[in-house]
Structures are given as C-alpha cells and as structure tokens.
Amino acid sequence: MADAPTTAAPSVEALDALVERACEPPTGMSRAKQLRWVAGELRTALERGAIVPTAADSLTTLLAPDTLASYLTAAGRGLLRRKPAARPGQASPASMRVREDCLRILGARAGITVTLPERDTPRVELRPVVAARPRSVLLGHLEHSARPGRSESRSRILAIIGTVLDTGCRAGELCVLRTDDVDLHRGTIRLTRLPQHRNPRTTPTTETVTLSGPTRAAMRHWLTVRSHLVARDPTRPTGPANETTDALWVSIAPSGRPRPGLPLHFRGLARAYARAIHDLNTEMAAEPGWHPLPQRMEQLRRAIELEPAGPDGTTFLRRSPTPAASPETTAQARALPVDHLIVG
C-alpha cells in the first residue's frame, strides 16, 4: 500500500518539534538518533494506516495508549520498515525496548502520560564471565609487569585491565575518566556510573573506589608514560599546564594522526583491549589450567560484583567465587611472558 503524505498533519508537526527539543544536549548522539527513528516510524504508521486516522489530529491523540499499542504491534511485526530486512516480520527485543524508552522520553518532554501495553519479557541469556582463577593470574601478572621499562602501550593496557578488575567499570565509563579522577596518594579512583539502556530516567552517579596495590603500581607508571605523550611542548617540564588533554587514557600511535596523546574513545579502547587479550590467550594456550579469556571487556567486567558504598563514599569490591590468588597462580602469573601485552 502506498504511503499517504502526512507532512501537514498537526500531530506530525508537533512530534517533529518535540523530537528536536528532546535531541538537544545533554542528550547523546545515539539517543537522538533513536528518538528520530521512532518519530519516523510513527509518521510511517500514520501514512500506512497502521494507527487510527484520528492520530493525525494532535500530539495527545498520537501518544494515546491505543495508538501506541497499535504502533508497537505494527513495529514488532516489521510493518513499518522502509527498506527490505533480512528477517522480515521480526523485531528484536532490544529494538522494542528502545522504542518503549523513546516513547517514554517523548511523553515526559511533552507532559503527556505514556501508557504502554504489557508484553512478555524475553528471557535473557547471560554471557559467560571470566572465572576467578584467570582473574587471579591477571592480577598477579599485573603486579609483576607494572614496572619501568615496559612499552607505552603495555603500560596503558595493564592500567586499564587493573582498573576494570578493581572497579567493574564499563568501557564508556573508562573513556570519560580524567587525570584528576585518580588519587594515587589515597589509592582511589573516582568513577561516574553512567545510566544504562533500560531506564532513561536514571541519572549518573559518582563513586570513589579503592584501587588494589598492583593497579596502583600500573596506574602510577601509566601516568608517567602519559605525561610525555600529552606534552604540548616537549622542552618544558611535564604537568597539567603543559598537557594537550586531561583525558586519562590517550592514544599511543593514532592512525593518520600527526602525534600521539589524543583522548582514547570507545572503539580505540575496545581494539587495544581485544588485541592484548588475543596475545595473552595465544601465549598461555599451553599453560596448565589456563582458560581463554573473552576478547570483550564487558565479560571481564561482569565477573566483578560491587558492594554498597561505605560512609565516606568508598565502594568496596567482592570478587566471586575465589577472591584471592593462590601461591600456585601467583607463580604462574610471574612466569607469564611479558611480550604478550604489546599493542599498537
């Protein structure tokens, strides 16, 4: 069926204006793209008769419970796609959650109560996490290898791995860290826990986490390496006044860039971590008791459980199921070859 033009519909005009307001900062680029996508689907639903014609009258009728129920049904069946899909008639649970979250955001912006239909919650299959023994080996290796004389890239990845093991932070939370978030004197790091996909109303929270001894050593060495990478003028003393950025994680040899020391973003961080873990698994494949580590940082992070913050705001960590490294795993960690964590 041909799409009927609805550009003059009052509800569509009001929706477009609402979306533009909702996409203004501090809304991120990804969420803004999702909001515009949902608005486009609502427009398509009206054009194709998937929702009642009265939805064209006003924004209130467009966001009415019955209208949204019809829209979500059509979207779930794949009736609103403008391009052929590999799996027509199937919408993923993740895309349905995004639609619902965006509708709630638009309703809140417009001051309209959005009522969504109940639907079956899909079963979530948990991904495997890193067991305690390989994590203990990693920590032991961290303590052994975090010393002067290592390469710049290895110093960075050792500090990153130690931070993930100690804090359980996500890759996006790593990328927003700044040098003043690290207090080596107290041995702590300040994290901003970012809201996750399911609840758009969640606000970021700040936590102070105590770093382990090996991670402190790795972080101290990385900060020394970093100070030379970000120096604005190599002839002047290093320090905050002579830095091109205050980002904690910076590039070593950025592709196509004239100089190192640029803030490291999500993709660069993920690539560096994946390369390091690939090399580690290759080197340790023949070691007794070694289980290959996953190449996604998120699976390492999920093995960490955070306990409630203490009275002073410090968050304590509990690793499961075996928190401490045995003498055997410590000896194994110290025997790890040091070249496996060289990354570009």
Side-chain angles (χ1 to χ4, degrees), residues 130 138 157 161 270-284 290-297 300 340-341 343:
V130 180
L138 273 177
I157 203 64
I161 290 175
R271 284 195 295 265
Y273 176 83
R275 286 195 298 266
I277 295 301
H278 175 269
D279 292 343
L280 175 59
N281 286 334
T282 301
E283 295 289 342
M284 292 297 297
W290 178 257
H291 300 284
L293 297 171
Q295 292 190 343
R296 294 183 68 252
M297 187 182 301
L300 178 64
H340 64 268
L341 285 179
V343 295

Side-chain angles (χ1 to χ4, degrees), residues 141-164 214-229 248-252 264 269 272 276 338-344:
H141 175 70
L142 184 66
E143 186 174 14
H144 176 63
S145 301
R147 61 177 185 265
R150 304 304 179 195
S151 72
E152 296 168 338
S153 55
R154 186 187 303 142
S155 298
R156 182 184 65 186
I157 203 64
L158 288 174
I160 288 173
I161 290 175
T163 302
V164 173
T215 302
R216 292 185 209 177
M219 186 68 73
R220 183 176 293 106
H221 183 49
W222 162 244
L223 288 175
T224 301
V225 170
R226 176 196 167 279
S227 66
H228 296 286
L229 293 172
L248 179 59
W249 312 114
V250 297
S251 59
I252 304 299
L264 197 63
L269 182 67
V338 295
D339 291 333
H340 64 268
L341 285 179
I342 297 179
V343 295

Side-chain angles (χ1 to χ4, degrees), residues 153-212:
S153 55
R154 186 187 303 142
S155 298
R156 182 184 65 186
I157 203 64
L158 288 174
I160 288 173
I161 290 175
T163 302
V164 173
L165 288 172
D166 283 352
T167 67
C169 60
R170 297 172 172 84
E173 295 165 349
L174 280 172
C175 291
V176 299
L177 287 173
R178 296 293 179 262
T179 52
D180 59 3
D181 291 321
V182 180
D183 187 341
L184 288 179
H185 178 69
R186 297 178 180 271
T188 60
I189 189 168
R190 183 175 62 240
L191 294 172
T192 300
R193 301 287 182 184
L194 303 177
Q196 298 308 300
H197 305 293
R198 194 63 190 99
N199 188 356
R201 299 183 183 87
T202 304
T203 57
T205 59
T206 301
E207 298 178 359
T208 300
V209 182
T210 300
L211 297 176
S212 63

Side-chain angles (χ1 to χ4, degrees), residues 5-272:
T6 60
T7 52
S11 64
V12 172
E13 293 181 349
L15 178 65
D16 290 341
L18 174 64
V19 168
E20 291 309 309
R21 294 197 303 272
C23 291
E24 294 175 354
T27 302
M29 293 178 61
S30 296
R31 179 62 80 183
K33 184 177 180 180
Q34 292 167 354
L35 290 169
R36 293 189 175 100
W37 167 58
V38 170
E41 283 197 332
L42 282 168
R43 189 182 304 111
T44 301
L46 191 58
E47 293 170 351
R48 297 182 180 177
I51 55 180
V52 294
T54 55
D57 295 342
S58 67
L59 189 60
T60 302
T61 57
L62 184 61
L63 299 181
D66 292 343
T67 305
L68 295 183
S70 299
Y71 156 66
L72 291 173
T73 299
R77 294 171 58 189
L79 301 179
L80 305 180
R81 295 190 175 107
R82 291 188 175 271
K83 296 180 180 180
R87 296 187 300 169
Q90 295 186 24
S92 68
S95 68
M96 296 304 295
R97 287 197 301 270
V98 169
R99 289 180 174 96
E100 292 174 351
D101 290 342
C102 289
L103 290 173
R104 292 189 182 97
I105 292 173
L106 293 174
R109 287 277 186 160
I112 299 173
T113 302
V114 168
T115 303
L116 301 177
E118 295 288 338
R119 63 184 180 91
D120 295 334
T121 303
R123 180 181 178 183
V124 177
E125 294 184 4
L126 298 179
R127 293 172 177 166
V129 298
V130 180
R133 180 181 175 85
R135 293 203 316 271
S136 298
V137 172
L138 273 177
L139 281 173
H141 175 70
L142 184 66
E143 186 174 14
H144 176 63
S145 301
R147 61 177 185 265
R150 304 304 179 195
S151 72
E152 296 168 338
S153 55
R154 186 187 303 142
S155 298
R156 182 184 65 186
I157 203 64
L158 288 174
I160 288 173
I161 290 175
T163 302
V164 173
L165 288 172
D166 283 352
T167 67
C169 60
R170 297 172 172 84
E173 295 165 349
L174 280 172
C175 291
V176 299
L177 287 173
R178 296 293 179 262
T179 52
D180 59 3
D181 291 321
V182 180
D183 187 341
L184 288 179
H185 178 69
R186 297 178 180 271
T188 60
I189 189 168
R190 183 175 62 240
L191 294 172
T192 300
R193 301 287 182 184
L194 303 177
Q196 298 308 300
H197 305 293
R198 194 63 190 99
N199 188 356
R201 299 183 183 87
T202 304
T203 57
T205 59
T206 301
E207 298 178 359
T208 300
V209 182
T210 300
L211 297 176
S212 63
T215 302
R216 292 185 209 177
M219 186 68 73
R220 183 176 293 106
H221 183 49
W222 162 244
L223 288 175
T224 301
V225 170
R226 176 196 167 279
S227 66
H228 296 286
L229 293 172
V230 301
R232 192 184 303 274
D233 183 355
T235 63
R236 294 172 50 198
T238 58
N242 188 28
E243 291 185 351
T244 57
T245 179
D246 62 348
L248 179 59
W249 312 114
V250 297
S251 59
I252 304 299
S255 176
R257 300 288 184 175
R259 57 169 297 166
L262 300 176
L264 197 63
H265 298 296
F266 180 86
R267 292 185 182 277
L269 182 67
R271 284 195 295 265

